[in-house]
Amino acid sequence: TRIMQSDPELADCSLIIFDEFHERSIQADLAFAIARDIQQGLRDDLTLLLMSATLASEQILSALPEAKLLSSHGRSFPITYQYVPANNLRHWREHALAVIQQQLLTLNSSMLVFLPSSSDIKWLAKQLEPSLPSSLSLFTLYGDLPLAEQQQAIRPCQQGHYKLVLATNIAETSLTIDGVNLVIDSGLEKVAVFDPQTLSDQLQQQMICKASAIQRAGRAGRLMAGTCLRLYAQDEYERRPEQSVNEIAQA
């Protein structure tokens, strides 16, 4: 965005890539709007490329009818899905803890658990740490964590050792955590929603959309066949929206 503001003609640029476009962050949407303005007004030879594994293709083609759609199925390993919903959603933390502990009894690989916030991660880590086997290392992964600690969660384990990674949706895309073939998905996230009464953003917990659930499950099949345990019912998953509300509409 800064480059486009200082050099609107983008003299040294022929292609702009917007990766993980399904996330529809305010920053990405603003940058795309400016790039589109440059393309239409100053640089009709400028190419814009929108990429994602879960792109809302029909919606984008409706808004940009002249766009070309390219698709590549690529390679992925098979993922087995299991649904283990909580009896009471208000006690989802305790349910997540019980499911993780059950999986630890027979664990022979690394595990990635998706949770809505850093406070949930810290609570679960505190409950789990006293009873973890010596062959298993516990890591946390969220936005406010120092970069060095984030990198520790991604690095390969020593032979014969496994890792348990408790993460927010920071681990949904782009990252490959070595050795993971089991994902446990709480199905929840926290997002900033604008409150017109206080004129500020408020963090609200909500259920993730199908696109996010697919992205999370995909972490289990990056390097080998894997399993995804969803802590919600299958019929509930089917009722979820395909895509989440754009951040610009929420914040």
Side-chain angles (χ1 to χ4, degrees):
T1 302
R2 285 199 196 98
I3 292 171
M4 290 187 287
Q5 287 175 320
S6 61
D7 178 19
E9 292 188 5
L10 295 176
D12 297 325
C13 178
S14 61
L15 167 69
I16 302 177
I17 299 175
F18 295 87
D19 197 13
E20 306 296 0
F21 192 73
H22 72 279
E23 294 180 357
R24 296 298 304 276
S25 68
I26 291 177
Q27 292 84 358
D29 277 2
L30 173 61
F32 175 72
I34 298 172
R36 181 78 170 143
D37 194 44
I38 292 172
Q39 183 190 54
Q40 292 179 315
L42 299 172
R43 288 282 311 279
D44 58 4
D45 62 323
L46 181 66
T47 300
L48 306 180
L49 176 60
L50 313 181
M51 301 199 309
S52 170
T54 52
L55 200 62
S57 304
E58 292 183 7
Q59 180 184 350
I60 290 175
L61 286 175
S62 175
L64 306 169
E66 76 282 11
K68 298 177 183 178
L69 177 63
L70 305 175
S71 61
S72 171
H73 295 289
R75 290 187 304 170
S76 61
F77 293 92
I79 299 171
T80 302
Y81 295 90
Q82 297 178 27
Y83 293 85
V84 281
N87 293 327
N88 188 333
L89 284 177
R90 283 184 292 184
H91 302 301
W92 72 266
R93 268 185 176 184
E94 290 78 5
H95 176 63
L97 176 62
V99 171
I100 294 169
Q101 290 173 330
Q102 179 65 34
Q103 292 301 312
L104 289 176
L105 296 176
T106 56
L107 189 67
N108 58 4
S109 67
S110 294
M111 183 193 316
L112 172 61
V113 182
F114 282 100
L115 300 163
S117 71
S118 59
S119 61
D120 300 312
I121 288 173
K122 291 171 184 175
W123 183 87
L124 272 168
K126 185 178 180 180
Q127 308 304 314
L128 289 165
E129 278 176 334
S131 58
L132 292 179
S134 57
S135 60
L136 185 74
S137 299
L138 175 64
F139 296 98
T140 60
L141 193 55
Y142 51 90
D144 293 337
L145 207 61
L147 182 59
E149 293 184 38
Q150 292 187 30
Q151 290 173 335
Q152 281 183 345
I154 302 169
R155 290 195 189 104
C157 293
Q158 296 178 353
Q159 189 170 5
H161 285 71
Y162 305 112
K163 67 173 70 171
L164 166 59
V165 182
L166 306 179
T168 60
N169 53 12
I170 190 177
E172 260 184 37
T173 55
S174 302
L175 296 178
T176 296
I177 301 177
D178 189 83
V180 167
N181 74 340
L182 173 61
V183 165
I184 296 179
D185 178 16
S186 67
L188 301 168
E189 65 180 350
K190 282 200 172 176
V191 297
V193 177
F194 183 71
D195 183 352
Q197 292 186 332
T198 62
L199 300 180
S200 62
D201 289 343
Q202 305 291 331
L203 276 179
Q204 292 185 8
Q205 183 166 292
Q206 64 182 29
M207 296 178 180
I208 60 172
C209 64
K210 283 184 180 178
S212 289
I214 292 168
Q215 290 277 1
R216 292 181 177 190
R219 303 299 100 183
R222 300 275 282 191
L223 302 173
M224 65 194 90
T227 301
C228 177
L229 297 181
R230 288 173 169 163
L231 305 184
Y232 45 94
Q234 185 171 1
D235 59 345
E236 182 191 328
Y237 167 77
E238 299 297 341
R239 292 195 300 269
R240 294 189 177 196
E242 296 292 333
Q243 302 285 337
S244 59
V245 177
N246 302 336
E247 186 181 359
I248 200 166
Q250 291 183 137

